[in-house]
Amino acid sequence: MTSLVRKLAFATALVAAPFMAVTTASAEGEKYVLVSHAPDSDSWWNTIKNGIALAGEQMGVEVEYRNPPTGDIADMARIIEQATASGPNGIITTLADYDVLSGPIQAAVDSGVDVIIMNTGSPDQARELGALMYVGQPEYDAGYAAGQRAKGDGVTSFLCVNHTIQQPTLAERCQGFADGLGVELGAAMLDSGTDPAEVKNKVLAYLSANPDTDAILTLGPVSADPTILAVEEAGLAGEIYFGTFDLGDEIVKAIKSGTINWGIDQQPFLQAYLPVVILTNYHRYGVLPGNNINSGPGFVTADGLTLVEKFAGEYR
């Protein structure tokens, strides 16, 4: 049964219910669930929540945000299964681990739920699972572009601080950066963990053991914020080349001060906002963009901070 026919058949059966985290009221009856891999502690995802909230309000649909509190991918798989069982018109989900999540996502598609993959995964994986499309940043390509930029600035060696090494997509950022530089990744990728004190201490230890390191690449605020502190403590702020993925309050401050050279903005607001709009218009009017949507990468430097600084952590 197609999603449009299913909507007509079950429209009278949809009843508003309490939702977790972010929800908006629906006048049309559509219900969408966004499932992410993010733990509750990762504030970067507040922008995602703001994106679906605004889209839900503007489109007049219900939107629910669900995530595994600790970031456990197996727990996320169960959440996708639960979301599918609740009978939504669509599911928007990250694909942080294809091996673990492809089964539940495929099952949702097979049951007639329209799915859009966002943030992590790839267009090829989305197509393989039967999802409508992919909205996000091609991670390897973003890392490669960053590596080429750093190479042009004279960087020949680096440390990549990976705070969630079990997620393949983050490793792609490190590998892309190494390939863009034209060097081996090898031991340059540091398994830092997510505890801020541990991240800081591991970065300090690496820099002490490898004093010729030209640059540091962090993969988001979880690793960037404590690395900023490590660089400052080591007396290297403004001296060592420092790039990061994603934005946040501390990252913006560090770009402004010259500690960080640039941040890669994958525009998470669009990753959340656009799928809600696309699904709603698809179900109401049968229209669908013909291509996947790359939301990034875009490089943010000190010269372009006005709007970023104003909306960092909210819409940027």
Side-chain angles (χ1 to χ4, degrees):
M1 185 180 294
T2 66
S3 59
L4 286 171
V5 174
R6 188 181 68 254
K7 181 183 131 182
L8 292 173
F10 291 100
T12 56
L14 293 174
V15 179
F19 294 107
M20 301 166 55
V22 179
T23 60
T24 57
S26 169
E28 297 293 334
E30 293 100 329
K31 169 189 172 183
Y32 304 116
V33 181
L34 189 153
V35 184
S36 89
H37 58 272
D40 290 343
S41 60
D42 193 342
S43 62
W44 184 84
W45 290 82
N46 290 337
T47 301
I48 297 288
K49 297 173 186 176
N50 290 338
I52 62 170
L54 183 60
E57 178 184 346
Q58 291 179 345
M59 302 305 292
V61 298
E62 291 180 353
V63 187
E64 177 183 1
Y65 177 89
R66 298 185 185 180
N67 68 297
T70 64
D72 181 76
I73 299 298
D75 191 14
M76 180 185 174
R78 288 189 289 272
I79 293 172
I80 294 174
E81 292 170 349
Q82 292 165 359
T84 301
S86 71
N89 297 86
I91 290 176
I92 305 159
T93 182
T94 63
L95 186 49
D97 188 320
Y98 186 87
D99 291 339
V100 177
L101 300 176
S102 58
I105 292 172
Q106 184 72 70
V109 172
D110 291 345
S111 74
V113 177
D114 290 316
V115 173
I116 289 180
I117 306 296
M118 53 82 72
N119 180 261
T120 52
S122 70
D124 288 343
Q125 291 175 337
R127 182 168 52 252
E128 183 176 336
L129 294 176
L132 294 178
M133 64 188 308
Y134 173 80
V135 179
Q137 173 177 261
E139 302 294 6
Y140 175 85
D141 294 346
Y144 188 83
Q148 288 190 311
R149 184 185 184 104
K151 182 178 182 179
D153 291 335
V155 172
T156 60
S157 63
F158 75 106
L159 164 65
C160 183
V161 188
N162 190 335
H163 58 274
T164 314
I165 206 161
Q166 68 270 23
Q167 290 181 19
T169 51
L170 290 190
E172 288 178 11
R173 296 176 174 183
C174 298
Q175 186 63 62
F177 191 82
D179 291 348
L181 282 179
V183 302
E184 294 294 325
L185 177 58
M189 184 166 69
L190 177 68
D191 180 4
S192 69
T194 59
D195 179 79
E198 281 193 25
V199 175
K200 176 185 171 184
N201 290 335
K202 286 182 178 181
V203 170
L204 284 170
Y206 184 95
L207 293 177
S208 177
N210 301 273
D212 294 331
T213 303
D214 288 338
I216 296 174
L217 177 70
T218 54
L219 306 182
V222 172
S223 53
D225 291 358
T227 298
I228 292 168
L229 297 178
V231 166
E232 290 174 346
E233 184 172 317
L236 295 173
E239 299 296 325
I240 192 168
Y241 193 92
F242 190 162
T244 187
F245 277 78
D246 302 333
L247 299 175
D249 290 341
E250 296 306 314
I251 290 173
V252 169
K253 292 176 185 176
I255 293 174
K256 193 172 184 179
S257 71
T259 299
I260 291 180
N261 295 71
W262 41 258
I264 296 177
D265 185 13
Q266 62 176 297
Q267 301 189 95
F269 174 81
L270 291 181
Q271 293 176 4
Y273 178 87
L274 289 177
V276 175
V277 173
I278 289 167
L279 283 170
T280 303
N281 285 323
Y282 179 55
H283 293 146
R284 291 179 184 175
Y285 312 118
V287 295
L288 185 71
N291 294 307
N292 300 290
I293 298 175
N294 287 344
S295 63
F299 288 89
V300 176
T301 64
D303 295 331
L305 278 180
T306 304
L307 280 178
V308 173
E309 190 172 23
K310 180 179 180 180
F311 293 115
E314 185 177 6
Y315 297 106
R316 295 298 300 271

